[in-house]
Amino acid sequence: MEAPVSTIDLPPTLRDAAGIEVPDRLQGRSFLPLVADPGAPWPQESFIQISEAECGRSIRTSRWKYHVTAPDTDPWDDPAASRYVESALYDLDHDPYERDHLNGLASNRELADGLRERLLARMEEAGEPPARIDPAAEWTHPQRLVDPPVHGFDLADARFGHQPPASGARPR
């Protein structure tokens, strides 16, 4: 099983590996139990705080990356914000290089709402002040869906016009 870990998990993991007590005030968790047993309980997402270039937050699951930014902040001076705006949503299964924003598509609103709630919960767990996340401006594109039906087609025995028949004989 693959599980997302964060850099915030490194200090507790290193302390745990060295046999040094991990204080409660230290954020993150040791992922040594996950190394020993891939089935061990572990969060299904990682929380990412972005600073310096922007004041932003992200949550990444095995499939989705949801990103928000705080447009009214100075990233050098403001470590957090009371207001963020959705700025990116990627389907990492179908777009691993994050080239196709799905942010703001009406077909993804329910998904984005769920990720927003998960991100707000992780922000609260990290001790950040309460914040709100405004939805991205809505737009539509008729050919985009979260899971296009074509991904379910079984084309294993399909023959396309440019392919020879299964026997190997070339059509005349």
Side-chain angles (χ1 to χ4, degrees):
M1 174 184 146
E2 291 185 22
V5 297
S6 299
T7 54
I8 200 168
D9 298 322
L10 288 175
T13 303
L14 294 173
R15 291 178 72 103
D16 190 18
I20 302 169
E21 182 182 343
V22 179
D24 290 338
R25 71 181 186 290
L26 192 62
Q27 292 184 13
R29 65 191 76 192
S30 172
F31 57 79
L32 283 186
L34 190 60
V35 172
D37 175 12
W42 192 258
Q44 295 303 303
E45 72 246 352
S46 59
F47 171 56
I48 304 154
Q49 295 175 308
I50 299 132
S51 61
E52 295 178 4
E54 67 183 12
C55 180
R57 304 292 184 262
S58 292
I59 193 165
R60 187 191 187 288
T61 70
S62 60
R63 180 169 181 184
W64 302 102
K65 182 177 177 185
Y66 174 77
H67 181 73
V68 300
T69 56
D72 305 324
T73 61
D74 180 331
W76 283 100
D77 296 328
D78 301 321
S82 60
R83 177 184 167 262
Y84 294 86
V85 177
E86 294 177 337
S87 55
L89 174 64
Y90 296 106
D91 180 347
L92 301 172
D93 281 355
H94 299 112
D95 180 24
Y97 299 109
E98 300 178 10
R99 295 182 178 173
D100 192 18
H101 279 276
L102 301 174
N103 198 38
L105 288 171
S107 59
N108 296 328
R109 184 72 263 154
E110 186 177 336
L111 169 69
D113 289 345
L115 291 169
R116 179 181 61 232
E117 294 308 312
R118 289 165 71 177
L119 178 57
L120 287 168
R122 294 298 296 265
M123 291 165 64
E124 183 180 325
E125 286 173 20
E128 294 193 16
R132 79 171 202 260
I133 298 173
D134 293 339
E138 187 175 315
W139 65 287
T140 58
H141 188 290
Q143 295 179 337
R144 289 188 172 171
L145 297 172
V146 171
D147 282 316
V150 72
H151 289 288
F153 290 167
D154 180 13
L155 300 175
D157 296 321
R159 178 175 168 252
F160 298 97
H162 67 283
Q163 297 173 316
S167 66
R170 310 243 348 122
R172 296 179 194 208

